[in-house]
């Protein structure tokens, strides 16, 4: 039965320090503290821009200007966001040789901004854009945001390299995630209920290969009573900072 949180944090810290080869699976919950509301939450992006009309690849191909009304809003939120203590703690744990890599469902690039090096982005990134018609790629820093929608040199509207509904997860991300998840000793699930494929498969894959699953979430999820071995309840920024401080003492 779960013990009180401080005891449990210390126990998990010992486990992580001993096992190393830790892979983190992160979701929207870790970026909420950076001011990015979960798109699915009340007041989130999807309540104002229904994803079937604004976030499918078909919607983009049919009417990219319309989809950019949603993307412009999303960019405004993402551009303002800075890494929070949760992102920084994971980056610190990578430098300490404890965290091997991060698999994230987020498109905000905040793990990299926090200094993490091995980051697999399941749903792509908003930091690069591509042309669906001629294939040319651009960095989002090549556009200052006044130009909406941003255009390719061929004249067509560019699409951020985020995975739209109806698009496949990039093969490379899928392969990298599978290899990280199947090779880790501990999977640290942070800020996600991991109910959406393929993220949902990662804790199971890790577990089948002998890993311990540690979950950090504000609320219990479907994972908590199924695959989770240790549940640390709380905000990612608080829990991960405590964990990183404890681990640093043990190394
Ligand atoms: Zn083009």
């Amino acid at each position: 039965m779960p013990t009180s949180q401080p005891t449990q944090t210390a126990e998990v810290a010992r486990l992580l320090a001993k096992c190393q080869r830790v892979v983190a699976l992160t979701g929207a919950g870790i970026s909420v503290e950076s001011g990015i509301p979960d798109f699915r939450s009340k007041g989130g992006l999807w309540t104002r821009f229904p994803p079937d009309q604004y976030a499918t690849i078909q919607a983009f191909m049919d009417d990219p200007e319309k989809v950019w009304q949603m993307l412009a809003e999303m960019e405004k939120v993402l551009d303002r966001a800075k890494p929070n203590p949760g992102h920084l703690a994971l980056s610190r744990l990578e430098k300490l040789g404890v965290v091997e890599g991060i698999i994230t469902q987020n498109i905000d690039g905040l793990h990299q901004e926090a200094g993490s090096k091995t980051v697999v982005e399941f749903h792509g990134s908003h930091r690069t854009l591509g042309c669906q018609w001629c294939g040319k790629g651009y960095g989002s820093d090549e556009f200052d945001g006044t130009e909406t929608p941003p255009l390719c040199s061929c004249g067509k509207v560019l699409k951020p390299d985020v995975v739209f509904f109806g698009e496949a997860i990039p093969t490379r991300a899928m392969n990298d995630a599978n290899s990280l998840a199947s090779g880790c000793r501990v999977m640290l699930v942070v800020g996600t209920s991991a109910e959406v494929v393929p993220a949902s498969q990662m804790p199971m894959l890790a577990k089948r290969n002998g890993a311990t699953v540690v979950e950090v979430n504000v609320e219990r999820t479907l994972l908590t009573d199924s695959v989770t071995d240790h549940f640390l309840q709380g905000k990612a920024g608080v829990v991960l900072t405590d964990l990183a401080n404890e681990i640093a003492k043990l190394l």
Side-chain angles (χ1 to χ4, degrees):
M1 274 289 104
T3 49
S4 69
Q5 184 112 341
T7 319
Q8 223 188 349
T9 303
E11 188 188 337
V12 170
R14 279 195 297 279
L15 174 77
L16 267 60
K18 184 172 73 147
C19 288
Q20 310 210 331
R21 291 182 47 206
V22 176
V23 167
L25 173 70
T26 67
I30 196 171
S31 291
V32 168
E33 290 161 73
S34 291
I36 305 175
D38 188 340
F39 294 168
R40 295 166 198 278
S41 70
K42 205 168 154 243
L45 205 57
W46 297 154
T47 58
R48 284 171 298 133
F49 297 98
D52 59 329
Q53 292 166 43
Y54 288 92
T56 68
I57 187 63
Q58 197 55 53
F60 184 85
M61 300 307 277
D62 290 346
D63 192 348
E65 282 86 1
K66 176 184 164 180
V67 168
W68 263 98
Q69 294 169 14
M70 177 276 287
L71 291 172
E73 288 268 319
M74 188 180 87
E75 290 298 325
K76 250 190 270 169
V77 174
L78 296 181
D79 282 345
R80 271 199 307 261
K82 291 275 164 266
N84 67 60
H87 298 107
L88 295 168
L90 288 180
S91 159
R92 181 177 171 204
L93 287 172
E94 187 184 48
K95 285 189 192 84
L96 289 171
V98 173
V99 164
E100 224 174 16
I102 298 171
I103 304 168
T104 188
Q105 301 167 82
N106 300 337
I107 54 161
D108 52 40
L110 293 179
H111 286 302
Q112 291 93 328
E113 206 176 317
S116 290
K117 300 287 179 236
T118 303
V119 182
V120 177
E121 294 172 304
F122 258 152
H123 297 156
S125 167
H126 81 115
R127 306 215 165 185
T128 55
L129 301 127
C131 179
Q132 299 296 296
W133 288 271
C134 78
K136 200 163 180 227
Y138 297 83
S140 54
D141 51 5
E142 294 175 60
F143 303 91
D144 61 9
T146 53
E147 199 189 332
T148 300
L151 298 178
C152 181
S153 58
C154 77
K156 296 282 195 180
V157 176
L158 290 167
K159 175 185 159 295
D161 291 332
V162 299
V163 176
F164 276 49
F165 291 103
E167 279 191 298
I169 302 291
T171 309
R172 182 155 170 227
M174 204 58 232
N175 291 342
D176 290 351
N178 280 332
S179 106
L180 278 174
S182 57
C184 69
R185 301 276 310 276
V186 175
M187 175 157 280
L188 191 56
V189 179
V190 184
T192 176
S193 54
E195 280 172 43
V196 181
V197 174
S200 56
Q201 299 160 343
M202 295 299 130
M204 284 307 295
L205 178 59
K207 189 112 179 175
R208 269 205 307 277
N209 285 280
T212 302
V213 176
V214 175
E215 180 186 351
V216 178
N217 270 319
V218 174
E219 304 287 350
R220 298 174 77 83
T221 69
L222 288 177
L223 296 174
T224 318
D225 294 313
S226 52
V227 294
T228 299
D229 296 295
H230 299 275
F231 179 58
L232 299 177
Q233 189 160 18
K235 288 185 176 177
V238 175
V239 175
L240 293 179
T241 303
D242 286 351
L243 212 47
N245 288 338
E246 285 293 320
I247 291 168
K249 281 188 233 161
L250 297 168
L251 295 174

